[in-house]
DNA sequence: AACAAAATAGTAGTAATTCCTATATAGTAA
DNA sequence: TTACTATATAGGAATTACTACTATTTTGTT
């Protein structure tokens, strides 16, 4: 994730006020290498700002998502945020629904097709692999 | 989505019983070109099977996801199902969170890296593009 | 036709997320 | 600095999505 100064600029550009809550949520998310849920981030931020409310954390994260300072991953019950702006890709087990990051340089420079680039402002392109993880595969085999 | 006979075979292979509810959910999902939520599918199926319960629809869709007869898309609050097994890719607007399908032949034969293929049984590989759709872009510009 | 395992209907329950409103704060301009 | 206005926050209530539970029904098989 980018540094705080970039964050300040982004906020000013979007007309968002810089508040201690936003700064702390931003720093917390930036320090995560996993895909924390809102609740997980809330608990961590609460250690620094004990009075912060769950709603504020949730609203702030959604705001970050809107302005492209964070991304939502998942597709499951719990919304998870990805503050890792370093290029990486996702594998998702369709059974246990865990999402695992992986890096693969060849995937990092995928060219978006012309017609899409004209219709949308593209912020991010990732490869999304779905299948069965080893644990779920073994469970499947045992059932037979 | 594949035809009913393929569905029957898949069920037998996995030891799942073939019920009118499962058949109807399958047919309904197959007829959708969008990404319906559980609730949307429930409402449609209810027209044919008025007594079906929400729980059954939800459970059935999750079962389909488990056996690879459908996929979950989204990563937002509401779980959405994709019954379109034809090769296609997704664009997601980070702001309004709509997911739009697009086809691009060059994306259809992405090779999964060696180490991943060894760790997981890969069922599907798609390109996931995130950014801002035209509507949201225009709203953003108006705010300034 | 009878049986056992699996699936369903109809809630009730749980957990995640958003909404509401009074209060507090950030950024701006005098 | 001070005052002002728009925005943001805290706290809790409300809403929504999803899952769990149990009695009953059904499937696939003897």
């Amino acid at each position: 994730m980018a540094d705080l100064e970039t964050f300040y600029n982004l906020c000013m550009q979007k007309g968002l006020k810089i508040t201690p809550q936003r700064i702390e949520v931003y720093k917390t998310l930036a320090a995560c290498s996993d895909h924390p849920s809102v609740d997980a981030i809330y608990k961590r931020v609460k250690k620094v700002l004990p009075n912060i409310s769950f709603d504020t954390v949730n609203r702030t994260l959604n705001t970050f998502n809107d302005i492209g300072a964070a991304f939502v991953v998942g597709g499951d019950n719990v919304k998870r945020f990805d503050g890792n702006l370093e290029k990486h890709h996702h594998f998702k087990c369709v059974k246990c629904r865990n999402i695992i990051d992986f890096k693969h340089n060849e995937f990092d420079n995928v060219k978006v097709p012309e017609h899409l680039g004209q219709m949308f402002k593209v912020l991010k392109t990732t490869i999304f692999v779905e299948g069965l993880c080893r644990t779920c595969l073994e469970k499947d085999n045992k059932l037979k």
Side-chain angles (χ1 to χ4, degrees), chain A residues 6-17:
Chain A
T6 313
F7 174 65
Y8 292 155
N9 290 335
L10 193 57
C11 285
M12 277 170 60
Q13 191 186 318
K14 300 279 177 177
L16 297 177
K17 291 182 175 173

Side-chain angles (χ1 to χ4, degrees), chain A residues 112-122:
Chain A
V112 171
E114 185 73 13
H115 65 278
L116 207 76
Q118 285 175 352
M119 285 168 67
F120 306 108
K121 183 180 179 185
V122 173

Side-chain angles (χ1 to χ4, degrees), chain A residues 35-47:
Chain A
H35 307 127
S37 64
V38 179
D39 199 55
I41 298 166
Y42 170 60
K43 287 199 177 94
R44 291 187 211 180
V45 174
K46 214 174 162 63
K47 289 177 186 165

Side-chain angles (χ1 to χ4, degrees), chain A residues 20-112:
Chain A
Q21 291 88 343
R22 283 183 177 151
I23 293 170
E24 201 53 43
V25 169
Y26 187 87
K27 288 203 295 191
T28 302
L29 186 59
C32 293
S33 61
D34 53 347
H35 307 127
S37 64
V38 179
D39 199 55
I41 298 166
Y42 170 60
K43 287 199 177 94
R44 291 187 211 180
V45 174
K46 214 174 162 63
K47 289 177 186 165
V48 184
L49 303 172
N51 284 327
I52 198 167
S53 71
F54 181 88
D55 186 42
T56 296
V57 175
N58 183 56
R59 198 171 5 82
T60 302
L61 287 167
N62 283 326
T63 305
F64 288 175
N65 182 72
D66 288 349
I67 64 173
F71 289 89
V72 177
V73 294
D76 214 53
N77 301 348
V78 187
K79 203 188 269 186
R80 291 177 180 282
F81 286 85
D82 191 345
N84 178 10
L85 297 190
E86 229 190 309
K87 267 283 183 190
H88 66 282
H89 307 277
H90 293 134
F91 171 85
K92 177 180 175 183
C93 177
V94 296
K95 195 140 195 174
C96 67
R97 284 137 197 189
N98 277 333
I99 294 176
I100 296 154
D101 284 2
F102 69 92
K103 294 187 72 61
H104 188 55
N105 294 338
E106 286 179 41
F107 284 176
D108 292 350
N109 294 307
V110 172
K111 283 265 190 306
V112 171

